[in-house]
């Protein structure tokens, strides 16, 4: 087809603009009370303005992080510490207009800094949030989730954040829509230098000035926190520097305002105030505040840390006082913060006394480890054996577990920055050149940002192996934006792909070794290997769940618990001496990954109560072992419970039931999973398992309803 060459029809001026549908804006209005902890800045006109004190923000962040750590959650310190002055400046300008949200859109694309924004809002009393409310940060009962989430805190968060680089493109849409509605509202988006590695962020950086130059964008300000630091270390040392890209802002059409002292409150305020004024004076030229900041600012040790103290660096509340004293410049803490600190110290003291008084355990505990701990062992063994294994990471190798391989073989390890799509595509290139590439990131980012590149890799005969951790509710504290609840549905139907969910570190080591061996064997035979995506949680589990005498086999389900005597189905399962007879009708429980351990606990209780059951580790959910499931169901009366911390739609349960029915198996099934909802923050995954009915109690109830 040829290109259209006809001139565009002239638009009647009265039809140039059109407002969207009106609906109640849930965002809270301007704070009505005085700032609890103010600081003063000077406006361009010489007048004074009170803004939130950045030191108070840092104090609150340190204390709320400690509260969450005590509850069992991970937290972030470095990012909010770096952005405290800039956030104070932005909110000071915004809240000077009433109602603020008719004059401004605010989007925080630096998701790891949302606790700093919560602290700032509590200082204002915005949306009814008080300093006391910060104590529940990241708990299941709090609306102050790990990352800003509009479905939990609609009065305080306009655009949910968390996956870096995702907010800026949405902010772009807000500004273009405002222009279409002929609304002069100014959009302000805060983003980190690490997030600007992401392709979708780069697309928006290019598009915003392009739309603005055509008169299609309302005033736009982007604030970049540039501290050359990401989660795993310095951007330039670990991946590659961003300076060249930032130097190109002007060439792409941005009006660049440099702020070389982003942690000086007056300098930050003047830069933000100037940027907003410039964007409003000329909406055809969006403005970027390029601010140099220090990640972990306020505490010398985190300022010097390679990661900027990304996560909260203290695990013991008894060691918190020197940290917050340094933040406050050695001065006594304000009474509210002192009382908060003392309550944490007292709780730590009471916990230590209780632990000291407790009797020693009668028997050694079961050895536990994170499931992903097995992956690098197999990768290292394969590399030692001469196989060309390479690691391509996107900043999360410490969390996904592959860091030991990278430490052992730095020459075979590559860091692309926070850019999951690019990571998978780079791996595809390695695959085409005869390497065995292993990529890694959190499951939520791998299956959302890396899915099209994975499809194209397989289409290009360039398969990859992936380690995608923090599945389902296992990433409890980070909240909905980080909780992968659709990962099996999103990846399971990709041709030439196996989804593998190991239940223990031992199984992960075996399965990774097997996947690498199968990959190499297929290449040597001139066949295309399958891509393998490993999914695993983040909490500690028993290092092995394999019964004595059993052995692993690719694509075969393993009996790992329940009450069946001498089950030997498929040969590879091995003899399992349990208490009840196979002839007794009962329930087959099929689980994978992190929920296998929970299914085993549920089975122990069921057997103790007289209900016969078998637990199967269905480790390859998109290619389930139908034969073993079918044989067990026929032996035990056709009753099946499946369980997963995944959406029911497209999950392991639906796939298994459909394949069993297709194989002529008569069964009565209960499929446990998430019923079309997003998650939320909680200190522990078990809290979310209980809420959604997929924990031990939910499994027992489902089995008893069938028995």
């Amino acid at each position: 087809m040829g290109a259209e060459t006809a001139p565009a029809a002239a638009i009647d001026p009265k039809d140039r603009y059109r407002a969207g549908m009106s609906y109640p804006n849930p965002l809270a209005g301007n704070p009505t009370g005085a700032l609890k902890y103010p600081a003063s800045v000077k406006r361009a006109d010489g007048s004074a303005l009170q803004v939130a004190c950045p030191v108070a923000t840092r104090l609150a962040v340190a204390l709320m992080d400690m509260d969450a750590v005590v509850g069992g959650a991970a937290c972030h310190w470095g990012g909010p510490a770096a952005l405290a002055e800039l956030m104070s400046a932005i909110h000071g300008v915004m809240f000077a207009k009433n109602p603020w949200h008719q004059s401004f859109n605010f989007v925080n694309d630096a998701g790891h800094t949302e606790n700093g924004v919560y602290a700032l809002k509590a200082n204002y009393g915005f949306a009814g949030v008080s300093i006391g409310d910060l104590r529940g940060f990241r708990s299941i009962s709090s609306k102050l989730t790990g990352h800003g989430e509009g479905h939990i805190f609609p009065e305080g968060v306009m655009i949910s954040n968390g996956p870096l680089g995702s907010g800026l493109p949405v902010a772009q849409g807000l500004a273009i829509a405002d222009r279409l509605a002929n609304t002069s509202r100014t959009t302000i988006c805060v983003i980190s230098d690490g997030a600007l590695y992401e392709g979708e962020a780069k697309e928006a950086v290019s598009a915003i000035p392009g739309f603005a130059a055509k008169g299609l964008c309302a005033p736009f300000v982007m604030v970049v926190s540039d501290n050359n630091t990401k989660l795993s270390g310095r951007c330039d040392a670990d991946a590659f520097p961003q300076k060249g890209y930032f130097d190109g802002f002007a060439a792409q059409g941005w009006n660049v305002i440099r702020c070389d002292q982003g942690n000086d409150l007056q300098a930050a305020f003047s830069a933000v105030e100037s940027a907003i004024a410039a964007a409003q004076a000329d909406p055809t030229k969006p403005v970027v505040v390029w601010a140099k900041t220090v990640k972990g600012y306020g505490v010398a040790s985190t300022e010097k840390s390679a990661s900027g103290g990304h996560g909260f660096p203290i695990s013991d509340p008894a060691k918190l006082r020197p940290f917050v004293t340094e933040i406050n410049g050695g001065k006594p803490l304000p009474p509210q913060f002192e009382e908060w600190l003392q309550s944490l110290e007292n709780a730590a003291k009471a916990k230590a006394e209780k632990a000291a008084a407790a009797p020693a355990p009668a028997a050694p505990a079961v050895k536990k480890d994170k499931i992903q701990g097995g992956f690098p062992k197999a990768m290292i063994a394969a590399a030692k054996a001469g196989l060309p294994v390479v690691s391509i990471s996107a900043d999360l190798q410490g969390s996904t577990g592959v860091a030991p391989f990278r430490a052992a073989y730095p020459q075979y390890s590559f860091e692309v920055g926070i850019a999951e799509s690019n990571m998978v595509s780079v791996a595809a290139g390695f695959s085409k050149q005869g390497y065995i590439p292993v990529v890694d990131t959190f499951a939520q980012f791998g299956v959302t940002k890396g899915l099209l590149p994975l499809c194209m890799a397989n289409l290009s005969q360039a398969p990859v192996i992936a380690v995608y951790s923090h599945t389902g509710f296992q990433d409890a504290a980070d909240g909905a934006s980080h909780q992968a609840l659709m990962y099996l549905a999103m990846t399971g139907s990709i041709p030439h792909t196996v989804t593998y969910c190991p239940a223990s570190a031992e199984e992960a080591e075996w399965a990774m070794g097997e996947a690498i061996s199968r990959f190499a064997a297929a290449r040597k035979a001139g066949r295309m290997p399958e891509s393998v995506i490993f999914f695993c949680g983040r909490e500690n589990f028993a290092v092995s769940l394999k019964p004595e005498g059993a052995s692993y086999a690719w694509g075969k389900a393993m009996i790992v618990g329940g009450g069946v005597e001498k089950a030997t189905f498929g040969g590879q399962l091995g003899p399992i001496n349990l208490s009840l007879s196979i002839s007794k009708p009962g329930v087959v429980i099929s689980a994978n990954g992190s929920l296998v351990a929970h299914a085993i606990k549920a089975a122990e209780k069921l057997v103790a109560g007289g209900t016969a059951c078998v637990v199967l580790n269905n480790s390859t959910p998109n290619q389930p072992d139908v034969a073993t499931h079918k044989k067990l169901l026929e032996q035990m009366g056709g009753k099946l419970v499946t369980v997963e911390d995944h959406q029911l739609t497209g999950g392991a349960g639906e796939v298994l039931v459909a394949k069993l029915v297709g194989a002529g198996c008569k069964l009565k099934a209960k499929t446990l999973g998430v019923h079309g909802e997003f998650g939320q923050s909680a200190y522990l995954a078990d809290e979310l398992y209980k809420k959604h009915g997929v924990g031990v109690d939910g499994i027992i109830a489902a089995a008893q309803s069938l028995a």
Side-chain angles (χ1 to χ4, degrees):
M1 293 177 64
E4 293 184 15
T5 57
I11 299 175
D12 190 315
K14 71 177 186 300
D15 293 330
R16 184 175 298 276
Y17 306 110
R18 172 174 290 177
M21 291 183 290
S22 178
Y23 65 95
N25 187 336
L27 289 170
N30 290 53
T32 56
L35 277 159
K36 194 168 183 64
Y37 304 104
S40 183
V41 294
K42 189 172 288 187
R43 291 167 158 164
D45 63 7
S47 63
L49 177 69
Q50 284 197 333
V51 299
C53 174
V55 174
T57 295
R58 292 190 182 93
L59 286 173
V61 167
L63 292 166
M64 64 198 287
D65 280 4
M66 190 77 261
D67 248 351
V69 168
V70 170
C75 293
H76 302 105
W77 156 254
L83 270 168
E85 284 77 15
L86 287 161
M87 289 295 192
S88 289
I90 292 166
H91 285 79
V93 173
M94 291 195 306
F95 288 160
K97 293 284 188 178
N98 194 356
W100 73 274
H101 51 66
Q102 288 188 13
S103 297
F104 296 98
N105 297 312
F106 173 70
V107 176
N108 179 24
D109 200 358
H112 294 156
T113 71
E114 194 69 21
N115 47 350
V117 179
Y118 294 148
L120 183 153
K121 289 175 177 177
N123 193 344
Y124 276 102
F126 175 79
V129 177
S130 68
I131 297 293
D133 292 331
L134 299 177
R135 296 194 182 197
F137 174 56
R138 288 197 163 201
S139 72
I140 197 169
S141 60
S142 176
K143 60 186 176 183
L144 307 182
T145 53
H147 298 272
E149 292 174 0
H151 73 300
I152 300 293
F153 188 21
E155 66 271 34
V157 176
M158 184 178 190
I159 300 298
S160 299
N161 63 47
L164 298 182
S166 298
L168 181 61
V170 179
Q172 169 190 217
L174 294 173
I176 296 172
D178 272 340
R179 182 60 182 138
L180 180 59
N182 200 24
T183 300
S184 59
R185 188 162 34 217
T186 301
T187 295
I188 303 173
C189 182
V190 180
I191 193 167
S192 64
D193 52 352
L196 283 171
Y197 277 116
E198 291 283 10
E200 59 187 314
K202 284 182 163 66
E203 291 171 11
V205 167
S206 176
I208 290 166
F211 281 114
K214 295 175 68 175
L216 298 176
C217 190
F220 197 100
V221 174
M222 176 173 67
V223 178
V224 177
S225 176
D226 176 14
N227 43 57
N228 188 35
T229 313
K230 51 190 183 59
L231 185 153
S232 62
R234 302 299 180 189
C235 294
D236 55 3
D238 286 0
F240 52 88
Q242 292 274 68
K243 184 179 182 301
Y245 177 65
F246 294 168
D247 285 339
F249 283 149
Q252 293 186 78
W254 290 86
N255 176 2
V256 181
I257 293 179
R258 295 293 300 265
C259 179
D260 292 330
Q261 295 178 304
N263 292 118
D264 177 273
L265 180 58
Q266 184 61 56
F269 181 83
S270 296
V272 167
E273 186 185 36
S274 297
I276 292 171
Q280 292 174 343
D282 182 8
T284 67
K285 192 85 169 176
V287 182
V288 56
V289 176
W290 181 0
K292 298 296 290 185
T293 60
V294 178
K295 195 170 181 182
Y297 185 80
V299 176
S301 61
T302 55
E303 290 178 13
K304 295 174 184 177
S305 167
S307 68
H310 181 86
F312 194 58
I314 302 172
S315 58
D316 183 359
K319 299 178 181 179
L320 181 59
R321 184 170 291 276
F323 193 87
V324 296
T325 299
E326 185 175 353
I327 293 170
N328 206 39
K331 297 180 291 185
L333 298 179
Q336 191 170 22
F337 290 137
E338 175 62 34
E339 185 276 327
W340 190 352
L341 174 59
Q342 287 182 14
S343 71
L344 284 165
E345 290 174 329
N346 291 337
K349 183 179 179 181
K351 184 177 180 180
E353 291 173 349
K354 183 178 179 181
V366 174
K367 185 179 179 182
K368 292 189 174 183
D369 193 5
K370 294 185 185 300
I371 293 172
Q372 55 262 50
F375 295 128
K377 294 179 182 178
M379 294 167 65
I380 291 170
K384 285 182 178 179
L387 291 175
V389 178
V390 294
S391 168
I392 300 98
S393 292
D395 196 39
L396 291 173
Q397 52 268 26
S399 299
T400 60
V402 303
F405 175 86
R406 299 175 67 85
Y409 292 102
Q411 70 273 36
Y412 305 145
S413 301
F414 303 86
E415 162 69 58
V416 300
I418 305 168
E420 295 83 4
S421 292
N422 192 36
M423 173 186 69
V424 177
S425 293
V426 167
F430 269 98
S431 181
K432 290 295 287 188
Q433 299 286 34
Y435 291 90
I436 303 175
V438 180
V439 300
D440 67 282
T441 186
F442 287 3
Q444 179 74 329
F445 308 151
V447 302
T448 52
K449 299 190 176 190
L451 198 58
L452 178 58
L454 182 63
C455 291
M456 294 307 298
N458 281 5
L459 186 60
S460 300
Q461 305 281 290
V464 303
I465 297 173
V467 173
Y468 290 164
S469 65
H470 293 56
T471 53
F473 292 133
Q474 282 284 296
D475 197 2
D478 277 327
S481 65
H482 283 49
Q483 290 164 356
L485 299 176
M486 303 85 73
Y487 59 98
L488 296 175
M490 295 175 75
T491 58
S493 61
I494 301 174
H496 315 299
T497 299
V498 178
T499 57
Y500 198 115
C501 302
S504 68
E506 179 189 78
E507 184 182 5
E509 181 179 357
W510 173 85
M512 174 61 80
E514 183 70 9
I516 292 171
S517 296
R518 290 166 63 88
F519 193 113
R523 280 289 193 223
K524 289 177 181 178
R527 294 181 283 105
M528 176 186 165
E530 292 178 307
S531 285
V532 180
I533 309 177
F534 289 106
F535 291 111
C536 65
R538 70 179 295 269
E539 296 178 357
N540 288 332
F541 296 90
V543 168
S544 176
L545 295 175
K546 180 169 66 69
E548 183 179 353
S551 57
Y552 297 110
W554 191 265
K556 297 296 183 181
M558 177 181 285
I559 297 176
V560 291
V564 176
E565 186 178 0
K566 296 182 180 178
T568 57
F569 303 109
Q572 81 285 350
L573 299 172
I576 303 172
N577 298 310
L578 298 171
S579 61
L580 299 179
S581 169
I582 190 67
S583 61
K584 182 176 181 179
V587 180
V588 176
I589 302 173
S590 182
N592 63 68
S594 302
L595 280 171
V596 171
H598 294 73
I600 292 172
K601 289 180 182 178
E604 290 171 354
K605 293 185 177 182
L606 286 164
V607 171
T611 300
C613 62
V614 172
V615 178
L616 277 174
N617 176 10
N618 179 27
S619 57
T620 53
N622 75 325
Q623 297 180 13
D625 180 2
V626 174
T628 298
H629 280 85
K630 185 172 184 287
K631 188 163 187 177
L632 279 171
L633 285 164
E634 290 171 348
Q635 292 281 343
M636 298 187 69
K639 295 170 183 176
L640 172 69
V641 172
T642 70
V643 60
E644 56 198 310
D645 58 342
H646 183 281
Q647 299 291 346
L648 282 175
T649 301
E654 282 199 350
V655 171
L656 177 61
V657 169
K659 287 185 177 292
L660 285 169
V661 171
C665 182
K666 295 180 180 179
L667 72 158
K668 184 177 181 182
K670 286 275 189 179
T671 53
L672 303 182
V674 182
H675 294 261
E677 300 175 273
F678 287 108
Q680 66 185 93
S681 285
Y683 289 157
L684 299 171
D686 276 350
E687 296 176 280
L688 294 166
Y689 291 158
K690 182 177 181 180
K691 178 177 179 178
H692 292 270
V694 298
V696 172
D697 292 343
I699 298 169
I700 291 172
Q704 289 176 336
S705 72
L706 292 174

